[in-house]
């Protein structure tokens, strides 16, 4: 009877630990993450691009270089940027990866803990710094060439010049 009682206590303790640790990443790292976005073109920094970040949890906007707080999710984050004068717009995909809290849940909390963190995104992180590359040419469209006004001289001024030369 004593062995049965001890087994129940041990099982209760294990169940308590599992339930308490479920959603561990939700508590440890949270559901949100700050990310920085920068744009480059031809290997040089390109400031002032307007970027949209989108994943299964929402959509956010930032001008480069800049930072924005996003909601983490399992899966990719698509960053699409455009800059006036440059075509076409560009997109990069960034995959999330399991963070330490998710691995802790797999080990301690099992399927329940992992499912909680996978569902709310807390068990995953995106890269903190994201670079989106535009393809050269990196300048906007060429400006319209200035049209030089050609002033035509009239015959009278030509005659006058020839008269001055002939009056020696």
């Amino acid at each position: 009877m004593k062995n049965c009682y001890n087994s129940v206590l041990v099982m209760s303790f294990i169940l308590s630990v599992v339930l308490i640790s479920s959603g561990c990443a939700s508590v440890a790292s949270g559901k949100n993450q700050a990310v920085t976005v920068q744009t480059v073109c031809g290997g040089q920094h390109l400031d002032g691009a307007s970027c949209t970040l989108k994943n299964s949890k929402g959509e956010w906007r930032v001008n480069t270089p800049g930072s924005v707080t996003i909601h983490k999710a399992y899966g990719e984050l698509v960053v699409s940027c455009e800059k006036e004068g440059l075509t076409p717009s560009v997109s990069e995909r960034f995959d999330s990866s399991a963070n330490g809290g998710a691995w802790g849940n797999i080990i301690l909390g099992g399927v329940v803990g992992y499912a909680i963190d996978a569902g709310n995104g807390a068990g995953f992180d995106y890269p903190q710094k994201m670079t989106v590359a535009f393809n050269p040419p990196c300048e906007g469209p060429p400006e319209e060439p200035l049209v030089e006004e050609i002033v035509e001289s009239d015959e009278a001024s030509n005659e006058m010049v020839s008269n001055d030369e002939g009056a020696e």
Side-chain angles (χ1 to χ4, degrees):
M1 179 78 162
K2 189 173 185 177
N3 284 338
C4 184
Y5 180 72
N6 286 339
S7 295
V8 169
L9 283 177
V10 169
M11 290 304 288
S12 297
F13 176 75
I14 291 173
L15 182 60
S16 297
V17 169
V18 168
L19 292 175
I20 290 170
S21 65
S22 295
C24 187
S26 301
V27 175
S29 65
K31 301 174 194 174
N32 298 318
Q33 177 185 353
V35 296
T36 300
V37 180
Q38 67 177 7
T39 46
V40 296
C41 187
Q44 301 294 317
H45 287 282
L46 179 69
D47 295 344
S50 175
C51 299
T52 301
L53 295 79
K54 187 175 183 178
N55 68 15
S56 63
K57 300 293 183 182
E59 187 173 302
W60 303 268
R61 299 187 193 293
V62 65
N63 290 326
T64 63
S67 296
V68 63
T69 300
I70 62 169
H71 192 108
K72 299 189 288 186
Y74 171 77
E76 66 183 20
L77 177 72
V78 178
V79 182
S80 301
C81 300
E82 60 185 13
K83 181 164 171 68
E84 188 174 328
L86 294 182
T87 54
S89 60
V90 293
S91 294
E92 297 282 344
R93 298 176 186 282
F94 298 90
D95 290 324
S96 63
S97 58
N99 60 28
W103 290 111
N105 272 336
I106 291 170
I107 294 167
L108 296 176
V111 176
V112 174
Y114 183 78
I116 290 170
D117 287 341
N120 66 22
F124 301 92
D125 289 326
Y126 291 105
Q128 287 185 326
K129 188 173 186 179
M130 302 175 185
T131 301
V132 179
F134 282 86
N135 296 319
C138 302
E139 299 86 33
E143 293 182 16
E144 293 292 322
L146 295 176
V147 178
E148 293 184 25
E149 188 176 316
I150 300 174
V151 179
E152 292 185 24
S153 57
D154 59 2
E155 290 181 275
S157 63
N158 285 339
E159 287 175 15
M160 195 173 196
V161 170
S162 61
N163 282 344
D164 285 342
E165 288 176 7
E168 287 184 28

